[in-house]
Amino acid sequence: FQICFLLFAVLYIVSYFIITRYKRKADEQEDEDAIVNRISLFLSTFTLAVSAGAVLLLPFSIISNEILLSFPQNYYIQWLNGSLIHGLWNLASLFSNLCLFVLMPFAFFFLESEGFAGLKKGIRARILETLVMLILLALLILGIVWVASALIDNDAASMESLYDLWEFYLPYLYSCISLMGCLLLLLCTPVGLSRMFTVMGQLLVKPTILEDLDEQMYIITLEEEAIQRRLNGVSSTVEYRAAELERELEKVKSKKTNLERRKKASAWERNLVYPAVMILLLIETSFSVLLVAFNILYLLVDETAMPKGSGGPGIGNASLSTFGFVGAALEIILIFYLMVSSVVGFYSLRFFENFTPRKDDTTMTKIIGNCVSILVLSSALPVMSRTLGITRFDLLGDFGRFNWLGNFYIVLSYNLLFAIMTTLCLVRKFTSAVREELLKALGLDKLHLSNNPRDSETKPSANGHQKTL
């Protein structure tokens, strides 16, 4: 218990600093709303810590198994045993259910509540309204799951089992949420794997091949001065024009900052780090696709390759990887890479673009939504890793009680879709430049078939002529 508490305390402190970094500072006033925001902040921090624990749980279990195999009689690692691992999996499953179905709905309704009409305003009135909304939400979810169970499996035994709230209903409901999370990962992860190249390209300094940075700095400085003069000449009454010029000025300043960074970077950083990172990303992505392809072959020829196929040898009895400790380390790297890619892909989707948190400018409502999304993704990550064959570690606790993990057609379809979608995203990523050049050569670029953001920078000026920065 003490070890679990210490691990969770560290995760909670890290999560608190992450959320306060993005939380809007204007919400920090001393009144009733400040107390509500503070309670919602603590609940969101708890949820984010649970999400981090769910992400770290599978790598921690894999590395613990290898350590127990390497040092079976070591006195200093006697605390690292199978009961601890099983307890962590059960706690992660319990807290995930608690956050997903109780704490996060409570935080959202509590934040939006004002108290029922006719009652004295205050914290008690808002808590009462929140509890009533939670009860109504629980009844709604109960009815939806009951109807879904009746439509899918119209059996008297399955209907009676729904009365067992703790042993069947909550694991069944969490299984449905996990399936939705795996489907969301199936959509986000391939997009994120291709998007990672662009993200790392923005973070790192690209090589300066056939580029004159001094000339680009001179041009961007002239553009900044021109926009500043136009902004100074615009009347304060024309607010929309001034706001538009300010946005253009911010873009130009951002480009100037990037150019200054590229100019100050050393030759090693420009010419060695960037190609090495790009090659490493390509190797990891290709290795992930190959593992999924091999897992598809295993599924077709061996029944034990199913996520729910075997009970496993237990913690510390046998290695989970064919290549021992090195293979386990590669599995852990791939699991973290898939999680980062899924988060990047989640915020890259058009539907969730406006959901991206901004530093010191994110409302508590948006923070709650982000915490719920991260919780769903992190809870589904161990299931996805086992389904895709990234690891052979058998899920423990309630993570391994999902009925759909034993369905051959669902698991095979999931692997096929992941391999196909990842391959298509990568092909589209690496052929986009060639496609744009072909469109230009054929004269079709004027039809705006490409998603080039610079195409929208051409705007009519005040005198009716076209002007482009």
Side-chain angles (χ1 to χ4, degrees), residues 111 132 151 171 179 193 213 225 256 325 357 441 449 452 454:
L111 197 65
V132 172
L151 292 175
L179 179 59
L193 289 174
L213 294 181
E225 294 175 355
K256 184 178 179 181
F325 194 86
L449 297 177
N452 192 353
R454 295 190 62 86

Side-chain angles (χ1 to χ4, degrees), residues 248-260:
E248 292 182 4
L249 184 61
E250 289 296 327
K251 292 180 181 178
V252 172
K253 287 182 177 180
S254 177
K255 294 178 182 178
K256 184 178 179 181
T257 303
N258 293 333
L259 285 176
E260 290 176 349

Side-chain angles (χ1 to χ4, degrees), residues 263-274:
K263 191 174 181 181
K264 293 178 181 179
S266 62
W268 288 97
E269 185 178 357
R270 288 197 304 265
N271 302 322
L272 182 62
V273 176
Y274 181 83

